[in-house]
Amino acid sequence: MRRPLIAGNWKMHFTVPEGLEYALRLRHALEPFADREDIVVLPPSLMLWEIANVLRGCPLEVGAQNASWEDQGPFTGEIAPKMLAGWCHYLLIGHSERRQLFNETDEQLNRKVQAAFRNGLKVVLALGETLEEHELGRTQEVITRQLSAALYDIDVKRAADLTIAYEPVWAIGTGRAATPEYANETMGLIRRLLVGRFEQLGTDMRILYGGSVTPANARSLMDQPEIDGALVGGASLKQTDFTEIVRAAAEVDRPA
Ligand code: PGA
């Protein structure tokens, strides 16, 4: 059975005091659900260490939204996965905002995945097609390329540390989530690619859906057999909304 995972991507929101106060509130609200699912918060890097301290000793985990592929050196403004090692649990790699606004390439993302694993971090690898690619019927081709490029030369033994987040770019921040059926179908393709690559381990890997997940649609999305959780942007910034999404994941009946 795949354990659900809900990750809240705060993007570039909150000041440091606001983020710390919010993390404390999440801790109290979400702890009761943590025996049934993994819950991860992805704050801005500036407050990540402090938030990891606020959440220490509780089952909520933290992740970084981005990190370099290098371990150290003259890379002004970057943070290294090596700096996250030992206390930060996850690294988000390949979010469409990084791909589009910061021009991150498939090759760079592969180097980031390698660097994350080298430093003992778990990876949430985000991928998905743009609206144009979607309308041109190129979804399958794009996803196949993104997945195989990002996982190039990755040791099969790392499968357990890898979660995929399928995020159609046209659904991110638009209020227009993919239908549960469409998401499930595309994630079925991702599942087949994972099994092709990792064999049996590929069936145990989690695939999340991301893109306008809200309390209103979370349950119907997560009722789908291939949807093992969610990567949540906007709705992760409100405690009540995020709690409802976490609750929805806890309530889904999964085959043993
Ligand atoms: P959204 O963002 O939930 O605001 O659509 C999702 C994401 O960017 O991961």
Side-chain angles (χ1 to χ4, degrees):
M1 194 186 85
R2 297 188 292 264
R3 187 175 155 87
L5 189 160
I6 301 293
N9 175 10
W10 296 2
K11 305 192 182 183
M12 200 174 72
H13 291 284
F14 298 135
T15 63
V16 176
E18 285 166 355
L20 290 177
E21 188 266 334
Y22 184 50
L24 205 53
R25 282 196 284 129
L26 286 182
R27 177 182 174 142
H28 293 302
L30 302 182
E31 244 182 315
F33 301 100
D35 57 338
R36 274 162 287 164
E37 61 190 282
D38 292 339
I39 305 165
V40 182
V41 292
L42 302 156
S45 333
L46 179 63
M47 59 187 88
L48 190 53
W49 167 261
E50 278 299 314
I51 287 181
N53 281 333
V54 164
L55 299 180
R56 185 151 298 150
C58 100
L60 272 58
E61 295 179 295
V62 291
Q65 297 173 17
N66 178 40
S68 170
W69 55 79
E70 299 282 353
D71 283 345
Q72 59 185 25
F75 303 101
T76 302
E78 289 291 287
I79 64 164
K82 196 175 178 182
M83 297 169 185
L84 304 170
W87 58 274
C88 178
H89 309 96
Y90 285 85
L91 177 60
L92 176 60
I93 296 176
H95 191 281
S96 68
E97 287 152 17
R98 301 293 320 170
R99 292 178 191 262
Q100 295 192 324
L101 303 175
F102 301 97
N103 301 318
E104 293 190 359
T105 65
D106 282 330
E107 197 254 328
Q108 290 172 335
L109 298 174
N110 174 250
R111 293 176 72 187
K112 290 188 178 204
V113 176
Q114 308 262 12
F117 284 155
R118 185 166 72 236
N119 288 286
L121 297 166
K122 294 181 195 163
V123 168
V124 176
L125 174 67
L127 44 81
E129 81 283 8
T130 63
L131 182 60
E132 192 190 358
E133 291 160 342
H134 179 69
E135 287 173 345
L136 290 171
R138 292 184 49 214
T139 300
Q140 182 164 345
E141 168 205 329
V142 169
I143 281 172
T144 305
R145 190 203 75 228
Q146 289 177 334
L147 194 73
S148 65
L151 300 184
Y152 175 74
D153 224 12
I154 299 296
D155 190 339
V156 170
K157 290 202 276 302
R158 306 318 295 253
D161 295 329
L162 180 65
T163 297
I164 307 296
Y166 169 56
E167 299 204 304
V169 180
W170 45 270
I172 296 177
T174 59
R176 189 184 152 209
T179 63
E181 296 74 20
Y182 176 82
N184 190 64
E185 193 187 314
T186 313
M187 291 158 78
L189 161 72
I190 296 173
R191 174 75 57 206
R192 289 194 292 283
L193 294 169
L194 292 175
V195 171
R197 177 66 200 275
F198 296 104
E199 300 179 355
Q200 179 55 33
L201 295 175
T203 60
D204 300 331
M205 294 168 68
R206 288 181 291 205
I207 310 177
L208 315 180
Y209 168 79
S212 297
V213 176
T214 64
N217 62 22
R219 183 62 199 264
S220 62
L221 285 160
M222 283 182 282
D223 271 338
Q224 296 287 330
E226 290 295 0
I227 304 187
D228 302 317
L231 179 55
V232 186
S236 76
L237 302 175
K238 275 209 207 124
Q239 187 208 309
T240 46
D241 285 359
F242 195 55
T243 305
E244 284 314 303
I245 294 168
V246 166
R247 183 193 307 279
E251 285 173 357
V252 173
D253 278 328
R254 308 220 147 232

